Amino acid sequence: MIINTDYFQIDDLLTEEHLLVRQSVREFVQQEIKPIIDEHAHEHKDIPDLMKKLGSIGALGPYIPEEYGGAGLDQIAYGLIMQELEAGDSAVRSSASVQSSLVMFPIHKYATEEQKKKWLPGLATGEIIGCFGLTEPNHGSNPAGMETRIKDDGDHVILNGAKMWITNSPIAHIAVVWAKDEEGQIRGMVVERDMEGFTTPETHNKWSLRASKTGELVFNNVRVPKENLFPDIRGLKGPLSCLNSARYGISWGVIGAAIDCYETAVKYSLERTQFGKPIGGFQLQQKKLAEFLTEITKAQLLCWRLGTLKNEDKATPQQISMAKRNNVKMAIDIARESRQILGGMGIVGDYPMMRHAANLESVITYEGTHDVHLLITGMDITGINAFS
Ligand code: TGC
Ligand code: FAD
């Protein structure tokens, strides 16, 4: 049964290349993710060779130029890839987001030519797995307060501190880490797995994103060669510029999770009969379905326009905040409400709603919480900073 989720014919605005990219990622998710995701989420185990598989379909750093191993695609293609991956599971999209927007993006934008050549091609194939360390135990929404420090030591710096809640840290080969120098300036650097004093303990007992690993980054007098530091970028705008790219991808990604829930609910509502007719024939259920499709359509339009602005390098961080906040709330609301359409069946793993809803609790928290993004919009409207 084909369910129309392109209600405003946005496909007409996409190129042949966009449609091809979307189709190939959709097929990958159907074949490689959907059949195994429930078991992996239940058992809290990551998907074997996920990063290499994502690399093989061009889902890692798709907008990075081909000379560094990327696919040289545009921002709409990147968004569509995120959408299809998150229809499979937010953990899969998260892994691709972190690798693309939080590891490859800063290396491509801020690293030296040697650093780019050293890391980008392996990151693009998934041979190298990266993670991104900004959040600390005492500094989440307010990363400017970070306590992680570097101290000059000749041709090295000595790194001390800890990062928390880091996607893929337990399996990463390298970490892009943000720390303050002796002048209090935030610097970015690449820390490598085998550096002495660097450990990545796993965070256990998550009820969300159970098909991927989350952990800490602990630095105990780690000697990082100066050649691993990004030479020119200083201040919070370094890490925040990476977040712009990741938040943009999330705005698209969560549409995939919402569509997966919506399609499941439509099918179920036409198959399940109560009081002598399909439950989809009752007005209360139709109201839910009609509102889901309306919200999905609004989110698609927001993303498409944001993607065109991003292609022209005109998207503002504030526009990206609005899209991330709106679309994640849209998806989590649809996951929760659509579960009700399935009644008792909505709580079992044969259907994806509970898994998506639990995953989206992380998505509405990371990359800036729902409230932080609201305050970013509030500041843009009034010119008054309500953070402190
Ligand atoms: P503020 O004084 O406003 O700004 C400091 C400097 O940064 C610039 N800036 C930005 N630059 C680029 N992009 C942005 N989005 C930017 N926002 C601000 C700003 O212009 C200024 O530059 P300059 O040249 O004047 O120095 O900074 P603030 O300390 O008041 O903080 C603002 C606030 C609260 C919005 C920011 O700290 C924030 O966004 N907090 C949320 C933290 C967050 O999102 N953390 C995410 C961690 S990574 C993650 O969650 C990965 S999940 C991965 C996954 O699995 O998908
Ligand atoms: P806090 O900042 O302590 O916030 C707690 C509550 O207070 C929130 O509701 C918040 O909105 C509210 N609040 C805070 N400040 C204000 C204010 N000024 N006004 C009003 N309300 C406020 N980080 C990384 O660096 N790399 C990663 O790869 C990464 N992956 C993650 C994966 C997962 C599964 C999760 C859950 C988190 C991840 N994070 C990562 C961290 C994430 O970005 C932070 O959790 C997030 O920024 C919020 O920080 P916090 O958890 O410390 O909450």
Side-chain angles (χ1 to χ4, degrees), residues 98 102 132-137 139-142 164-167 206 209 214 362 365-369 371-372 375 386-388:
V98 169
L102 299 181
F132 177 87
L134 180 63
T135 306
E136 299 187 352
H139 302 280
S141 298
N142 178 25
M164 191 176 180
W165 297 117
I166 307 305
T167 298
K206 289 182 301 171
L209 299 181
T214 309
S362 287
T365 301
Y366 66 35
E367 299 277 1
T369 66
D371 288 340
V372 160
L375 296 179
F387 284 107
S388 45

PDB file of all heavy atoms in Angstrom, residues 98 102 132-137 139-142 164-167 206 209 214 362 365-369 371-372 375 386-388, ligand 2:
ATOM      1  N   VAL A  98      27.002  12.814  13.459  1.00  0.00           N
ATOM      2  CA  VAL A  98      28.219  13.150  14.199  1.00  0.00           C
ATOM      3  C   VAL A  98      29.421  13.066  13.267  1.00  0.00           C
ATOM      4  O   VAL A  98      30.256  13.976  13.203  1.00  0.00           O
ATOM      5  CB  VAL A  98      28.384  12.219  15.429  1.00  0.00           C
ATOM      6  CG1 VAL A  98      29.768  12.375  16.040  1.00  0.00           C
ATOM      7  CG2 VAL A  98      27.304  12.522  16.461  1.00  0.00           C
ATOM      8  N   LEU A 102      29.906  16.882  12.733  1.00  0.00           N
ATOM      9  CA  LEU A 102      30.659  17.262  13.929  1.00  0.00           C
ATOM     10  C   LEU A 102      32.119  16.816  13.877  1.00  0.00           C
ATOM     11  O   LEU A 102      32.926  17.243  14.697  1.00  0.00           O
ATOM     12  CB  LEU A 102      29.970  16.704  15.178  1.00  0.00           C
ATOM     13  CG  LEU A 102      28.538  17.211  15.415  1.00  0.00           C
ATOM     14  CD1 LEU A 102      27.952  16.623  16.691  1.00  0.00           C
ATOM     15  CD2 LEU A 102      28.482  18.737  15.454  1.00  0.00           C
ATOM     16  N   PHE A 132      32.640  13.785  18.888  1.00  0.00           N
ATOM     17  CA  PHE A 132      32.735  15.239  19.075  1.00  0.00           C
ATOM     18  C   PHE A 132      32.544  15.553  20.551  1.00  0.00           C
ATOM     19  O   PHE A 132      31.487  15.247  21.120  1.00  0.00           O
ATOM     20  CB  PHE A 132      31.623  15.886  18.245  1.00  0.00           C
ATOM     21  CG  PHE A 132      31.482  17.384  18.346  1.00  0.00           C
ATOM     22  CD1 PHE A 132      32.217  18.224  17.521  1.00  0.00           C
ATOM     23  CD2 PHE A 132      30.565  17.955  19.224  1.00  0.00           C
ATOM     24  CE1 PHE A 132      32.049  19.602  17.567  1.00  0.00           C
ATOM     25  CE2 PHE A 132      30.380  19.337  19.275  1.00  0.00           C
ATOM     26  CZ  PHE A 132      31.128  20.165  18.445  1.00  0.00           C
ATOM     27  N   GLY A 133      33.535  16.154  21.172  1.00  0.00           N
ATOM     28  CA  GLY A 133      33.461  16.418  22.606  1.00  0.00           C
ATOM     29  C   GLY A 133      33.324  17.893  22.932  1.00  0.00           C
ATOM     30  O   GLY A 133      34.312  18.642  22.890  1.00  0.00           O
ATOM     31  N   LEU A 134      32.096  18.306  23.235  1.00  0.00           N
ATOM     32  CA  LEU A 134      31.862  19.683  23.688  1.00  0.00           C
ATOM     33  C   LEU A 134      31.277  19.672  25.106  1.00  0.00           C
ATOM     34  O   LEU A 134      31.784  20.333  26.005  1.00  0.00           O
ATOM     35  CB  LEU A 134      30.899  20.404  22.724  1.00  0.00           C
ATOM     36  CG  LEU A 134      30.560  21.853  23.085  1.00  0.00           C
ATOM     37  CD1 LEU A 134      31.792  22.747  23.048  1.00  0.00           C
ATOM     38  CD2 LEU A 134      29.494  22.411  22.120  1.00  0.00           C
ATOM     39  N   THR A 135      30.212  18.875  25.308  1.00  0.00           N
ATOM     40  CA  THR A 135      29.487  18.858  26.589  1.00  0.00           C
ATOM     41  C   THR A 135      30.350  18.283  27.712  1.00  0.00           C
ATOM     42  O   THR A 135      31.069  17.301  27.507  1.00  0.00           O
ATOM     43  CB  THR A 135      28.219  17.990  26.439  1.00  0.00           C
ATOM     44  OG1 THR A 135      27.481  18.468  25.327  1.00  0.00           O
ATOM     45  CG2 THR A 135      27.375  18.016  27.700  1.00  0.00           C
ATOM     46  N   GLU A 136      30.235  18.884  28.893  1.00  0.00           N
ATOM     47  CA  GLU A 136      30.974  18.398  30.065  1.00  0.00           C
ATOM     48  C   GLU A 136      29.998  18.095  31.195  1.00  0.00           C
ATOM     49  O   GLU A 136      28.848  18.552  31.165  1.00  0.00           O
ATOM     50  CB  GLU A 136      31.978  19.463  30.514  1.00  0.00           C
ATOM     51  CG  GLU A 136      32.983  19.778  29.432  1.00  0.00           C
ATOM     52  CD  GLU A 136      34.101  20.699  29.892  1.00  0.00           C
ATOM     53  OE1 GLU A 136      34.022  21.223  31.032  1.00  0.00           O
ATOM     54  OE2 GLU A 136      35.054  20.867  29.119  1.00  0.00           O
ATOM     55  N   PRO A 137      30.453  17.379  32.227  1.00  0.00           N
ATOM     56  CA  PRO A 137      29.541  17.069  33.338  1.00  0.00           C
ATOM     57  C   PRO A 137      28.893  18.324  33.926  1.00  0.00           C
ATOM     58  O   PRO A 137      27.707  18.319  34.249  1.00  0.00           O
ATOM     59  CB  PRO A 137      30.457  16.383  34.361  1.00  0.00           C
ATOM     60  CG  PRO A 137      31.553  15.778  33.535  1.00  0.00           C
ATOM     61  CD  PRO A 137      31.751  16.692  32.364  1.00  0.00           C
ATOM     62  N   HIS A 139      28.771  21.408  32.324  1.00  0.00           N
ATOM     63  CA  HIS A 139      28.481  22.439  31.316  1.00  0.00           C
ATOM     64  C   HIS A 139      27.862  21.806  30.069  1.00  0.00           C
ATOM     65  O   HIS A 139      28.577  21.313  29.197  1.00  0.00           O
ATOM     66  CB  HIS A 139      29.753  23.207  30.944  1.00  0.00           C
ATOM     67  CG  HIS A 139      30.385  23.852  32.138  1.00  0.00           C
ATOM     68  ND1 HIS A 139      29.928  25.042  32.653  1.00  0.00           N
ATOM     69  CD2 HIS A 139      31.378  23.443  32.938  1.00  0.00           C
ATOM     70  CE1 HIS A 139      30.634  25.348  33.726  1.00  0.00           C
ATOM     71  NE2 HIS A 139      31.522  24.397  33.924  1.00  0.00           N
ATOM     72  N   GLY A 140      26.510  21.814  30.029  1.00  0.00           N
ATOM     73  CA  GLY A 140      25.793  21.257  28.878  1.00  0.00           C
ATOM     74  C   GLY A 140      25.259  22.369  27.993  1.00  0.00           C
ATOM     75  O   GLY A 140      25.848  22.705  26.962  1.00  0.00           O
ATOM     76  N   SER A 141      24.167  23.012  28.430  1.00  0.00           N
ATOM     77  CA  SER A 141      23.593  24.114  27.644  1.00  0.00           C
ATOM     78  C   SER A 141      24.541  25.305  27.566  1.00  0.00           C
ATOM     79  O   SER A 141      24.441  26.121  26.656  1.00  0.00           O
ATOM     80  CB  SER A 141      22.264  24.569  28.271  1.00  0.00           C
ATOM     81  OG  SER A 141      21.338  23.508  28.242  1.00  0.00           O
ATOM     82  N   ASN A 142      25.447  25.390  28.529  1.00  0.00           N
ATOM     83  CA  ASN A 142      26.357  26.542  28.586  1.00  0.00           C
ATOM     84  C   ASN A 142      27.819  26.114  28.367  1.00  0.00           C
ATOM     85  O   ASN A 142      28.640  26.163  29.282  1.00  0.00           O
ATOM     86  CB  ASN A 142      26.204  27.217  29.954  1.00  0.00           C
ATOM     87  CG  ASN A 142      27.136  28.397  30.124  1.00  0.00           C
ATOM     88  OD1 ASN A 142      27.556  29.013  29.143  1.00  0.00           O
ATOM     89  ND2 ASN A 142      27.478  28.713  31.360  1.00  0.00           N
ATOM     90  N   MET A 164      31.216  14.582  28.478  1.00  0.00           N
ATOM     91  CA  MET A 164      30.168  13.635  28.851  1.00  0.00           C
ATOM     92  C   MET A 164      29.083  13.583  27.784  1.00  0.00           C
ATOM     93  O   MET A 164      28.900  14.558  27.075  1.00  0.00           O
ATOM     94  CB  MET A 164      29.570  14.094  30.177  1.00  0.00           C
ATOM     95  CG  MET A 164      28.674  13.104  30.827  1.00  0.00           C
ATOM     96  SD  MET A 164      28.162  13.742  32.416  1.00  0.00           S
ATOM     97  CE  MET A 164      27.126  12.385  32.928  1.00  0.00           C
ATOM     98  N   TRP A 165      28.389  12.447  27.712  1.00  0.00           N
ATOM     99  CA  TRP A 165      27.286  12.262  26.758  1.00  0.00           C
ATOM    100  C   TRP A 165      27.777  12.281  25.323  1.00  0.00           C
ATOM    101  O   TRP A 165      27.162  12.935  24.480  1.00  0.00           O
ATOM    102  CB  TRP A 165      26.216  13.356  26.919  1.00  0.00           C
ATOM    103  CG  TRP A 165      25.510  13.383  28.220  1.00  0.00           C
ATOM    104  CD1 TRP A 165      25.520  14.380  29.129  1.00  0.00           C
ATOM    105  CD2 TRP A 165      24.671  12.354  28.762  1.00  0.00           C
ATOM    106  NE1 TRP A 165      24.755  14.046  30.211  1.00  0.00           N
ATOM    107  CE2 TRP A 165      24.218  12.806  30.000  1.00  0.00           C
ATOM    108  CE3 TRP A 165      24.268  11.092  28.315  1.00  0.00           C
ATOM    109  CZ2 TRP A 165      23.380  12.048  30.812  1.00  0.00           C
ATOM    110  CZ3 TRP A 165      23.446  10.345  29.111  1.00  0.00           C
ATOM    111  CH2 TRP A 165      23.004  10.829  30.340  1.00  0.00           C
ATOM    112  N   ILE A 166      28.866  11.609  25.041  1.00  0.00           N
ATOM    113  CA  ILE A 166      29.457  11.733  23.709  1.00  0.00           C
ATOM    114  C   ILE A 166      29.072  10.538  22.831  1.00  0.00           C
ATOM    115  O   ILE A 166      29.459   9.389  23.095  1.00  0.00           O
ATOM    116  CB  ILE A 166      30.995  11.869  23.817  1.00  0.00           C
ATOM    117  CG1 ILE A 166      31.367  13.009  24.778  1.00  0.00           C
ATOM    118  CG2 ILE A 166      31.603  12.063  22.431  1.00  0.00           C
ATOM    119  CD1 ILE A 166      30.768  14.373  24.465  1.00  0.00           C
ATOM    120  N   THR A 167      28.289  10.835  21.777  1.00  0.00           N
ATOM    121  CA  THR A 167      27.847   9.805  20.831  1.00  0.00           C
ATOM    122  C   THR A 167      29.060   9.117  20.209  1.00  0.00           C
ATOM    123  O   THR A 167      29.962   9.787  19.696  1.00  0.00           O
ATOM    124  CB  THR A 167      26.976  10.456  19.727  1.00  0.00           C
ATOM    125  OG1 THR A 167      25.826  11.019  20.341  1.00  0.00           O
ATOM    126  CG2 THR A 167      26.550   9.434  18.666  1.00  0.00           C
ATOM    127  N   LYS A 206      20.842   3.383  29.140  1.00  0.00           N
ATOM    128  CA  LYS A 206      20.044   4.383  28.424  1.00  0.00           C
ATOM    129  C   LYS A 206      18.691   3.775  28.046  1.00  0.00           C
ATOM    130  O   LYS A 206      18.635   2.613  27.640  1.00  0.00           O
ATOM    131  CB  LYS A 206      20.743   4.794  27.118  1.00  0.00           C
ATOM    132  CG  LYS A 206      21.989   5.617  27.281  1.00  0.00           C
ATOM    133  CD  LYS A 206      22.544   5.991  25.900  1.00  0.00           C
ATOM    134  CE  LYS A 206      22.884   4.800  25.057  1.00  0.00           C
ATOM    135  NZ  LYS A 206      23.214   5.082  23.663  1.00  0.00           N
ATOM    136  N   LEU A 209      18.118   5.797  22.177  1.00  0.00           N
ATOM    137  CA  LEU A 209      19.266   5.544  21.289  1.00  0.00           C
ATOM    138  C   LEU A 209      20.020   4.293  21.732  1.00  0.00           C
ATOM    139  O   LEU A 209      21.245   4.293  21.839  1.00  0.00           O
ATOM    140  CB  LEU A 209      20.216   6.746  21.253  1.00  0.00           C
ATOM    141  CG  LEU A 209      19.654   8.056  20.737  1.00  0.00           C
ATOM    142  CD1 LEU A 209      20.720   9.142  20.734  1.00  0.00           C
ATOM    143  CD2 LEU A 209      19.084   7.910  19.322  1.00  0.00           C
ATOM    144  N   THR A 214      27.014   5.548  23.688  1.00  0.00           N
ATOM    145  CA  THR A 214      27.273   6.896  24.205  1.00  0.00           C
ATOM    146  C   THR A 214      28.288   6.741  25.332  1.00  0.00           C
ATOM    147  O   THR A 214      28.271   5.716  26.026  1.00  0.00           O
ATOM    148  CB  THR A 214      25.964   7.502  24.780  1.00  0.00           C
ATOM    149  OG1 THR A 214      24.926   7.377  23.816  1.00  0.00           O
ATOM    150  CG2 THR A 214      26.143   8.966  25.140  1.00  0.00           C
ATOM    151  N   SER A 362      16.125  11.907  23.343  1.00  0.00           N
ATOM    152  CA  SER A 362      17.511  12.387  23.231  1.00  0.00           C
ATOM    153  C   SER A 362      17.616  13.508  22.216  1.00  0.00           C
ATOM    154  O   SER A 362      18.305  14.512  22.432  1.00  0.00           O
ATOM    155  CB  SER A 362      18.448  11.253  22.784  1.00  0.00           C
ATOM    156  OG  SER A 362      18.654  10.353  23.815  1.00  0.00           O
ATOM    157  N   THR A 365      16.817  16.828  23.251  1.00  0.00           N
ATOM    158  CA  THR A 365      17.735  17.314  24.301  1.00  0.00           C
ATOM    159  C   THR A 365      19.095  17.685  23.728  1.00  0.00           C
ATOM    160  O   THR A 365      19.673  18.717  24.101  1.00  0.00           O
ATOM    161  CB  THR A 365      17.912  16.211  25.374  1.00  0.00           C
ATOM    162  OG1 THR A 365      16.636  15.909  25.925  1.00  0.00           O
ATOM    163  CG2 THR A 365      18.869  16.633  26.469  1.00  0.00           C
ATOM    164  N   TYR A 366      19.615  16.830  22.816  1.00  0.00           N
ATOM    165  CA  TYR A 366      20.975  17.132  22.347  1.00  0.00           C
ATOM    166  C   TYR A 366      20.966  18.179  21.231  1.00  0.00           C
ATOM    167  O   TYR A 366      19.918  18.547  20.726  1.00  0.00           O
ATOM    168  CB  TYR A 366      21.762  15.870  22.002  1.00  0.00           C
ATOM    169  CG  TYR A 366      21.342  14.987  20.843  1.00  0.00           C
ATOM    170  CD1 TYR A 366      20.800  15.454  19.667  1.00  0.00           C
ATOM    171  CD2 TYR A 366      21.595  13.611  20.930  1.00  0.00           C
ATOM    172  CE1 TYR A 366      20.493  14.614  18.612  1.00  0.00           C
ATOM    173  CE2 TYR A 366      21.290  12.745  19.883  1.00  0.00           C
ATOM    174  CZ  TYR A 366      20.744  13.256  18.733  1.00  0.00           C
ATOM    175  OH  TYR A 366      20.453  12.420  17.694  1.00  0.00           O
ATOM    176  N   GLU A 367      22.160  18.676  20.936  1.00  0.00           N
ATOM    177  CA  GLU A 367      22.302  19.743  19.921  1.00  0.00           C
ATOM    178  C   GLU A 367      21.512  20.984  20.312  1.00  0.00           C
ATOM    179  O   GLU A 367      21.006  21.701  19.446  1.00  0.00           O
ATOM    180  CB  GLU A 367      21.820  19.252  18.552  1.00  0.00           C
ATOM    181  CG  GLU A 367      22.594  18.080  18.015  1.00  0.00           C
ATOM    182  CD  GLU A 367      23.868  18.475  17.329  1.00  0.00           C
ATOM    183  OE1 GLU A 367      24.169  19.685  17.287  1.00  0.00           O
ATOM    184  OE2 GLU A 367      24.569  17.578  16.866  1.00  0.00           O
ATOM    185  N   GLY A 368      21.406  21.241  21.620  1.00  0.00           N
ATOM    186  CA  GLY A 368      20.621  22.358  22.122  1.00  0.00           C
ATOM    187  C   GLY A 368      19.235  21.873  22.473  1.00  0.00           C
ATOM    188  O   GLY A 368      18.534  21.285  21.633  1.00  0.00           O
ATOM    189  N   THR A 369      18.827  22.097  23.742  1.00  0.00           N
ATOM    190  CA  THR A 369      17.512  21.597  24.164  1.00  0.00           C
ATOM    191  C   THR A 369      16.406  22.418  23.508  1.00  0.00           C
ATOM    192  O   THR A 369      16.632  23.514  22.980  1.00  0.00           O
ATOM    193  CB  THR A 369      17.349  21.704  25.704  1.00  0.00           C
ATOM    194  OG1 THR A 369      17.329  23.094  26.047  1.00  0.00           O
ATOM    195  CG2 THR A 369      18.482  21.002  26.454  1.00  0.00           C
ATOM    196  N   ASP A 371      14.192  24.139  24.931  1.00  0.00           N
ATOM    197  CA  ASP A 371      14.092  25.478  25.543  1.00  0.00           C
ATOM    198  C   ASP A 371      15.234  26.394  25.090  1.00  0.00           C
ATOM    199  O   ASP A 371      15.027  27.592  24.888  1.00  0.00           O
ATOM    200  CB  ASP A 371      14.078  25.368  27.079  1.00  0.00           C
ATOM    201  CG  ASP A 371      12.756  24.807  27.585  1.00  0.00           C
ATOM    202  OD1 ASP A 371      11.758  24.869  26.836  1.00  0.00           O
ATOM    203  OD2 ASP A 371      12.720  24.294  28.722  1.00  0.00           O
ATOM    204  N   VAL A 372      16.426  25.847  24.931  1.00  0.00           N
ATOM    205  CA  VAL A 372      17.552  26.675  24.464  1.00  0.00           C
ATOM    206  C   VAL A 372      17.229  27.248  23.078  1.00  0.00           C
ATOM    207  O   VAL A 372      17.440  28.440  22.807  1.00  0.00           O
ATOM    208  CB  VAL A 372      18.870  25.871  24.461  1.00  0.00           C
ATOM    209  CG1 VAL A 372      19.914  26.524  23.549  1.00  0.00           C
ATOM    210  CG2 VAL A 372      19.423  25.764  25.886  1.00  0.00           C
ATOM    211  N   LEU A 375      14.893  30.104  23.300  1.00  0.00           N
ATOM    212  CA  LEU A 375      15.534  31.345  23.774  1.00  0.00           C
ATOM    213  C   LEU A 375      16.379  31.994  22.670  1.00  0.00           C
ATOM    214  O   LEU A 375      16.537  33.224  22.645  1.00  0.00           O
ATOM    215  CB  LEU A 375      16.380  31.065  25.017  1.00  0.00           C
ATOM    216  CG  LEU A 375      15.593  30.599  26.258  1.00  0.00           C
ATOM    217  CD1 LEU A 375      16.537  30.317  27.418  1.00  0.00           C
ATOM    218  CD2 LEU A 375      14.548  31.630  26.668  1.00  0.00           C
ATOM    219  N   ALA A 386      18.177  36.165  27.067  1.00  0.00           N
ATOM    220  CA  ALA A 386      17.467  35.642  28.248  1.00  0.00           C
ATOM    221  C   ALA A 386      18.199  34.457  28.875  1.00  0.00           C
ATOM    222  O   ALA A 386      17.670  33.801  29.764  1.00  0.00           O
ATOM    223  CB  ALA A 386      16.055  35.224  27.847  1.00  0.00           C
ATOM    224  N   PHE A 387      19.414  34.171  28.412  1.00  0.00           N
ATOM    225  CA  PHE A 387      20.127  33.000  28.943  1.00  0.00           C
ATOM    226  C   PHE A 387      20.636  33.232  30.357  1.00  0.00           C
ATOM    227  O   PHE A 387      20.744  32.315  31.143  1.00  0.00           O
ATOM    228  CB  PHE A 387      21.308  32.612  28.035  1.00  0.00           C
ATOM    229  CG  PHE A 387      20.854  31.921  26.795  1.00  0.00           C
ATOM    230  CD1 PHE A 387      20.896  32.564  25.567  1.00  0.00           C
ATOM    231  CD2 PHE A 387      20.353  30.632  26.845  1.00  0.00           C
ATOM    232  CE1 PHE A 387      20.455  31.930  24.418  1.00  0.00           C
ATOM    233  CE2 PHE A 387      19.897  29.984  25.709  1.00  0.00           C
ATOM    234  CZ  PHE A 387      19.948  30.644  24.494  1.00  0.00           C
ATOM    235  N   SER A 388      21.041  34.477  30.632  1.00  0.00           N
ATOM    236  CA  SER A 388      21.642  34.679  31.949  1.00  0.00           C
ATOM    237  C   SER A 388      21.132  35.982  32.544  1.00  0.00           C
ATOM    238  O   SER A 388      20.540  36.810  31.866  1.00  0.00           O
ATOM    239  CB  SER A 388      23.153  34.719  31.809  1.00  0.00           C
ATOM    240  OG  SER A 388      23.512  35.525  30.705  1.00  0.00           O
TER     241      SER A 388
HETATM  242  P1  FAD B   2      21.429  21.183  31.138  1.00  0.00           P
HETATM  243  O1  FAD B   2      22.184  22.196  30.371  1.00  0.00           O
HETATM  244  O2  FAD B   2      21.793  20.931  32.552  1.00  0.00           O
HETATM  245  O3  FAD B   2      19.878  21.562  31.084  1.00  0.00           O
HETATM  246  C1  FAD B   2      18.907  20.977  31.948  1.00  0.00           C
HETATM  247  C2  FAD B   2      17.570  21.701  31.705  1.00  0.00           C
HETATM  248  O4  FAD B   2      17.708  23.088  32.014  1.00  0.00           O
HETATM  249  C3  FAD B   2      17.126  21.629  30.236  1.00  0.00           C
HETATM  250  O5  FAD B   2      15.727  21.465  30.194  1.00  0.00           O
HETATM  251  C4  FAD B   2      17.494  23.002  29.694  1.00  0.00           C
HETATM  252  O6  FAD B   2      16.665  23.401  28.609  1.00  0.00           O
HETATM  253  C5  FAD B   2      17.280  23.884  30.913  1.00  0.00           C
HETATM  254  N1  FAD B   2      18.070  25.108  30.852  1.00  0.00           N
HETATM  255  C6  FAD B   2      19.419  25.232  30.827  1.00  0.00           C
HETATM  256  N2  FAD B   2      19.778  26.512  30.734  1.00  0.00           N
HETATM  257  C7  FAD B   2      18.638  27.230  30.698  1.00  0.00           C
HETATM  258  C8  FAD B   2      18.337  28.624  30.586  1.00  0.00           C
HETATM  259  N3  FAD B   2      19.289  29.570  30.458  1.00  0.00           N
HETATM  260  N4  FAD B   2      17.033  28.997  30.576  1.00  0.00           N
HETATM  261  C9  FAD B   2      16.046  28.076  30.663  1.00  0.00           C
HETATM  262  N5  FAD B   2      16.259  26.747  30.778  1.00  0.00           N
HETATM  263  C10 FAD B   2      17.547  26.336  30.778  1.00  0.00           C
HETATM  264  N6  FAD B   2      27.284  16.447  23.533  1.00  0.00           N
HETATM  265  C11 FAD B   2      28.453  16.483  22.828  1.00  0.00           C
HETATM  266  O7  FAD B   2      29.277  17.366  23.019  1.00  0.00           O
HETATM  267  N7  FAD B   2      28.726  15.523  21.897  1.00  0.00           N
HETATM  268  C12 FAD B   2      27.884  14.500  21.635  1.00  0.00           C
HETATM  269  O8  FAD B   2      28.154  13.653  20.760  1.00  0.00           O
HETATM  270  C13 FAD B   2      26.657  14.421  22.375  1.00  0.00           C
HETATM  271  N8  FAD B   2      25.821  13.372  22.183  1.00  0.00           N
HETATM  272  C14 FAD B   2      24.750  13.226  23.018  1.00  0.00           C
HETATM  273  C15 FAD B   2      23.991  12.057  22.963  1.00  0.00           C
HETATM  274  C16 FAD B   2      22.922  11.860  23.830  1.00  0.00           C
HETATM  275  C17 FAD B   2      22.161  10.580  23.799  1.00  0.00           C
HETATM  276  C18 FAD B   2      22.570  12.886  24.742  1.00  0.00           C
HETATM  277  C19 FAD B   2      21.402  12.727  25.678  1.00  0.00           C
HETATM  278  C20 FAD B   2      23.310  14.051  24.805  1.00  0.00           C
HETATM  279  C21 FAD B   2      24.416  14.226  23.957  1.00  0.00           C
HETATM  280  N9  FAD B   2      25.240  15.358  24.055  1.00  0.00           N
HETATM  281  C22 FAD B   2      26.395  15.430  23.335  1.00  0.00           C
HETATM  282  C23 FAD B   2      25.004  16.351  25.103  1.00  0.00           C
HETATM  283  C24 FAD B   2      23.853  17.303  24.831  1.00  0.00           C
HETATM  284  O9  FAD B   2      24.202  18.252  23.883  1.00  0.00           O
HETATM  285  C25 FAD B   2      23.445  17.929  26.180  1.00  0.00           C
HETATM  286  O10 FAD B   2      22.802  16.915  26.930  1.00  0.00           O
HETATM  287  C26 FAD B   2      22.542  19.138  25.988  1.00  0.00           C
HETATM  288  O11 FAD B   2      23.220  20.209  25.375  1.00  0.00           O
HETATM  289  C27 FAD B   2      21.950  19.617  27.330  1.00  0.00           C
HETATM  290  O12 FAD B   2      22.921  19.705  28.310  1.00  0.00           O
HETATM  291  P2  FAD B   2      22.674  19.026  29.765  1.00  0.00           P
HETATM  292  O13 FAD B   2      22.279  17.622  29.534  1.00  0.00           O
HETATM  293  O14 FAD B   2      23.877  19.289  30.590  1.00  0.00           O
HETATM  294  O15 FAD B   2      21.418  19.782  30.363  1.00  0.00           O
END
